[in-house]
Amino acid sequence: MESPQRIDGTAITIVFDALAGAPPSLLHVGGKLPDDEDLHALRLAVRPKRHGSQPDVPDLATIWPQLGRGYLGLPAMALRRGMAALPSNLVLGSGARIADRSAHIELEDLVAGVRVLVDWRIGAGDVIRASATIINAGDTPLAIDRLVSIALPLPGWATYATRFHGHWAGEMHQDTTPIPHGRSGGESRGGRPGFGGANWLIAHNGGFSADHGRAVALHLAWSGDHETVIERDADGAILQMGARYDPGEIILAPGARFTTPDAVLAIVDGGRKEVRRALHTHVRSDVLIGRANWAPRRVHLNSWEALAFDMNEASLMRLASDAAAIGIERFIVDDGWFTGRRDDTTSLGDWTPDSRLFPNGLTPLIDHVTALGMDFGLWVEPEMVSPDSDLYRAHPDWCLHRPGVDRPTQRHQLVLDLAKPEVSDHLFGVLDGLLSVHRIAYLKWDHNRELFPNDGAGHNQTLALYALIDRLRAAHRNVEIESCASGGGRIDCGMLSRCHRVWPSDNNDAIERLRINRAWSLFLPPEVMGNHVGPSPNPITGRMLPMDFRAKVALFGHMGVEADPAAMSDADRATLAAHIACYKQYRDLLHNGTLYEIAFDDAGLFGTLIERDGKALALVARADMATDYNAGPVRFPGLQADRRYIVTFPLAGPKPPNGVAGQLLSGRLLRDTGLVLPLSRPATAWLVAFDQEDEPA
């Protein structure tokens, strides 16, 4: 690779350059260059020049940084043979293939006995999947203490970072700050990505907004622990992302190889709008299995907030009947259905229907649900075991533990060691038995505990989880799976490549969900995000919100209900049923359209518009009291300026918010000038529908 080489997507170009056999650096990461661009001239134009206090031959930040030739930053890998750290001097091998939409770059150090293969592949939405493979070319075992999936020297314009942090029931808080000098980042150590959000990140220029600015958005498609590092010095910034490994966790025998999980990378110009476009396209096209053939997303009712552990066959049948009466299409029995489970202190692992609750098993309940026109779903938490359970008493050695010391619990439970073949085989047998005997269309797969003590078990645990789900899906191809982990504790493209939706948060408070869903929607399309109408007052926040507001917020996602219709007033039940009918009317648009953020200067306002084939539906909602009586006009992005739209207000009742209902307005007016809506009171929400006329304005 003596001259610069490029790979191209539809609208992006990446140009690699290598001098003196070192790992390649990046000359260009951004918009599509002309096909005949002179890459030698590009090298002269943009390659940094040597400055004072540098090695005579500067070792610039590359796509695989390493120590030993004057680079003083964090290396992309840390290796050992025995107890001694293994230094390496990787140089470009002879097998580099860089062309079209992919780059395969071979690096080698024959003295250290190490080869590294770096792969970047451009897929749908111009999203890049990057990974690295390391090969032990020596004659003794090779320990990997650190190995990233991607090392990305950031473009000079990427001086800010938007990061995410959170906690249970308060996921995805968003912070935007200048990238500081020194080292910053985040990691997880609980065996799952966790609530810290460090596996989702956007590096961007100053002034980055809803539809302006350049950005690099990154994600690690991995359901175990991760590490993200941004390191900035006088020469610029480099971002590294990869799985986190404990020392001794990954040891390669001579000749063996190890491949990292993929890092997902989107390079955009056009603000948050383009981040969404790229990543939603990627998830729909390259992550979700069979997405093009999915059936419409059925409206759920989950039994948890309605009954919790106070369930039996009669109460569930009653709840199912009430659910069907308001238009529910899938009835899900949550925690509490299996033997001995009266509270959260017992029985995880004993996945058989409790005969005291279901004297004839689950079949009568399932028959009742299906006779009502709904399909049936079931909650499970297969990775966990209660110390008070038949499974634990029979196999106390099946959980992760340290011999001879106590076994600390979280939520009164321990973690099963899925890497033991006998454990995974047992779990497959139990779940396969449930799905084979019963008409179960849906599993809500929960994960309510951090992984401790893991002692180097995290990587194998994640691979074993993948293998278990893959095995189950192969045996039951029509069963949908939801990934939940105390809400948003394990949301990543590794799980999404095996599941049909995720649970963004255990918090169903509609005001909290406006913020949580807005952050998740930067990366995930709405059809994979469960979004439920919860009870009022909300069991987590205590907030009381009107049904109209709760239901409108729940429309923009995979809609469901987590409340008891019998506990609602007649008016609330009618309101909820009307919104469920509205969701069914618009769900093809909501789940296949392009999502736009409606931007406001007022932090108390939230807005989303989804457009497809000349139709659009928008949600505009206020979370708090307005500062002024009269809110400014709401401007609607995503509409074509040279078209006219009939404007309506679904579910607005007999009094639409202004006199424009049914009027024909130009896309330019709606986009640039907007509509005035009554938005002064908190917990106010409006749906606005746009239907394009046939001819241009």
Side-chain angles (χ1 to χ4, degrees):
M1 181 178 168
E2 297 180 356
S3 61
Q5 297 185 36
R6 62 188 282 173
I7 60 175
D8 293 278
T10 303
I12 65 168
T13 297
I14 300 173
V15 181
F16 300 87
D17 188 29
L19 295 177
S25 59
L26 298 177
L27 297 180
H28 175 81
V29 179
K32 184 74 171 286
L33 296 176
D35 292 341
D36 60 353
E37 188 77 54
D38 186 334
L39 300 185
H40 292 281
L42 173 65
R43 173 195 281 167
L44 295 173
V46 303
R47 192 169 181 87
K49 306 301 186 288
R50 181 177 177 276
H51 57 73
S53 190
Q54 270 192 314
D56 294 333
V57 179
D59 192 7
L60 304 175
T62 70
I63 64 168
W64 202 258
Q66 55 184 341
L67 301 178
R69 304 184 72 86
Y71 178 76
L72 302 180
L74 184 67
M77 65 183 186
L79 309 176
R80 285 182 293 111
R81 292 201 189 273
M83 297 301 294
L86 179 67
S88 62
N89 180 32
L90 294 168
V91 297
L92 197 63
S94 60
R97 299 188 302 276
I98 301 176
D100 299 324
R101 298 176 70 90
S102 65
H104 175 82
I105 298 164
E106 297 187 8
L107 306 171
E108 60 186 12
D109 182 341
L110 300 180
V111 174
V114 174
R115 295 176 62 215
V116 174
L117 314 177
V118 179
D119 284 286
W120 289 26
R121 308 167 303 282
I122 301 177
D126 279 349
V127 169
I128 300 142
R129 306 277 295 208
S131 64
T133 298
I134 187 168
I135 301 170
N136 182 6
D139 54 9
T140 60
L142 179 68
I144 300 172
D145 291 341
R146 185 172 188 272
L147 185 71
V148 302
S149 297
I150 189 170
L152 177 70
L154 290 174
W157 46 259
T159 56
Y160 285 76
T162 294
R163 297 180 173 92
F164 301 87
H165 63 91
H167 52 80
W168 173 76
E171 292 87 343
M172 294 299 278
H173 288 272
Q174 181 173 314
D175 280 336
T176 297
T177 59
I179 296 175
H181 281 274
R183 189 176 297 171
S184 60
E187 64 181 16
S188 67
R189 290 182 171 273
R192 61 185 186 182
F195 301 113
N199 60 329
W200 304 92
L201 182 143
I202 305 174
H204 52 83
N205 62 334
F208 186 71
S209 65
D211 54 8
H212 294 287
R214 293 190 284 181
V216 179
L218 290 106
H219 164 62
L220 186 69
W222 176 243
S223 308
D225 285 329
H226 66 274
E227 177 189 23
T228 299
V229 175
I230 302 179
E231 196 167 40
R232 182 183 175 194
D233 59 21
D235 292 321
I238 185 168
L239 189 153
Q240 299 184 36
M241 185 176 281
R244 189 194 66 78
Y245 309 112
D246 290 328
E249 187 171 4
I250 308 296
I251 299 178
L252 300 183
R257 64 175 58 203
F258 175 82
T259 299
T260 69
D262 283 352
V264 176
L265 168 67
I267 304 160
V268 303
D269 188 355
R272 293 188 293 270
K273 172 188 70 177
E274 289 301 307
V275 171
R276 289 187 179 92
R277 180 203 58 77
L279 291 172
H280 290 194
T281 299
H282 170 68
V283 170
R284 286 169 168 167
S285 299
D286 292 348
V287 176
L288 299 171
I289 296 175
R291 172 65 185 88
N293 299 317
W294 280 11
R297 310 297 276 154
R298 299 172 71 83
V299 184
H300 288 191
L301 188 137
N302 185 289
S303 70
W304 179 250
E305 296 294 355
L307 298 175
F309 292 111
D310 188 20
M311 67 167 64
N312 57 37
E313 183 180 279
S315 65
L316 287 165
M317 284 186 175
R318 191 275 306 164
L319 182 62
S321 296
D322 291 342
I326 61 172
I328 297 297
E329 299 167 301
R330 174 172 289 153
F331 184 78
I332 300 161
V333 176
D334 207 284
D335 196 356
W337 60 270
F338 45 98
T339 301
R341 184 72 161 176
R342 300 282 74 80
D343 56 37
D344 67 359
T345 66
T346 180
S347 302
L348 285 177
D350 299 339
W351 301 110
T352 56
D354 194 315
S355 60
R356 292 175 295 175
L357 306 180
F358 308 99
N360 299 301
L362 291 176
T363 298
L365 173 61
I366 295 174
D367 288 346
H368 178 73
V369 168
T370 55
L372 291 166
M374 300 181 290
D375 62 24
F376 183 82
L378 199 63
W379 179 94
V380 291
E381 193 173 1
E383 298 158 76
M384 305 300 165
V385 64
S386 301
D388 182 9
S389 67
D390 292 341
L391 180 65
Y392 184 80
R393 284 184 283 271
H395 300 286
D397 59 325
W398 278 12
C399 70
L400 294 175
H401 66 281
R402 291 173 177 163
V405 300
D406 67 328
R407 301 182 179 190
T409 58
Q410 180 179 331
R411 205 171 180 257
H412 311 290
Q413 59 198 51
L414 299 165
V415 183
L416 290 170
D417 186 352
L418 302 188
K420 291 180 178 290
E422 61 270 29
V423 175
S424 284
D425 287 345
H426 169 79
L427 292 176
F428 174 79
V430 170
L431 296 171
D432 176 63
L434 280 169
L435 296 176
S436 298
V437 171
H438 302 101
R439 285 179 292 172
I440 297 172
Y442 186 86
L443 288 180
K444 180 180 179 182
W445 188 298
D446 215 337
H447 180 280
N448 283 306
R449 186 195 191 279
E450 308 289 350
L451 208 72
F452 63 85
N454 65 27
D455 297 332
H459 179 263
N460 286 338
Q461 182 83 356
T462 302
L463 293 182
L465 168 67
Y466 288 168
L468 175 60
I469 296 177
D470 291 346
R471 186 179 176 188
L472 200 65
R473 283 181 55 88
H476 303 278
R477 295 188 180 277
N478 294 324
V479 174
E480 295 184 20
I481 298 176
E482 171 186 335
S483 173
C484 174
S486 305
R490 187 168 65 186
I491 294 180
D492 61 85
C493 286
M495 286 301 288
L496 275 170
S497 68
R498 295 166 169 84
C499 299
H500 292 77
R501 82 167 192 168
V502 294
W503 186 231
S505 178
D506 280 346
N507 193 340
N508 272 326
D509 182 301
I511 286 177
E512 285 296 300
R513 275 303 189 98
L514 286 171
R515 179 193 58 75
I516 292 168
N517 292 348
R518 180 173 63 182
W520 279 122
S521 75
L522 280 165
F523 307 100
L524 304 178
E527 66 267 24
V528 302
M529 297 194 294
N531 202 22
H532 289 187
V533 176
S536 182
N538 184 273
I540 290 176
T541 67
R543 187 153 35 205
M544 299 183 70
L545 296 170
M547 176 59 76
D548 181 83
F549 184 81
R550 285 178 278 152
K552 282 183 169 57
V553 171
L555 282 170
F556 282 71
H558 185 176
M559 188 181 189
V561 177
E562 201 138 351
D564 188 348
M568 303 173 190
S569 68
D570 291 346
D572 277 358
R573 259 195 317 278
T575 297
L576 179 54
H579 282 77
I580 290 172
C582 181
Y583 167 83
K584 294 175 183 178
Q585 176 186 351
Y586 283 101
R587 65 181 154 194
D588 180 66
L589 163 65
L590 292 170
H591 296 160
N592 295 288
T594 301
L595 188 151
Y596 296 87
E597 169 192 347
I598 302 174
F600 300 100
D601 294 330
D602 185 337
L605 286 174
F606 293 80
T608 300
L609 180 144
I610 301 179
E611 188 276 339
R612 187 185 191 218
D613 296 336
K615 297 181 183 295
L617 185 69
L619 169 71
V620 183
R622 175 167 285 286
D624 60 7
M625 194 71 180
T627 303
D628 300 315
Y629 289 117
N630 295 317
V634 178
R635 294 183 294 274
F636 297 94
L639 303 179
Q640 296 183 42
D642 62 346
R643 294 282 184 162
R644 296 189 186 275
Y645 295 84
I646 299 172
V647 180
T648 55
F649 297 89
L651 303 172
K655 295 182 179 180
N658 54 37
V660 303
Q663 298 296 314
L664 198 61
L665 299 174
S666 72
R668 186 177 303 281
L669 183 149
L670 293 165
R671 190 187 66 187
D672 298 343
T673 301
L675 301 176
V676 173
L677 301 176
L679 288 166
S680 60
R681 299 179 61 183
T684 300
W686 296 101
L687 295 178
V688 189
F690 306 91
D691 196 348
Q692 186 183 112
E693 71 169 0
D694 293 335
E695 299 298 328

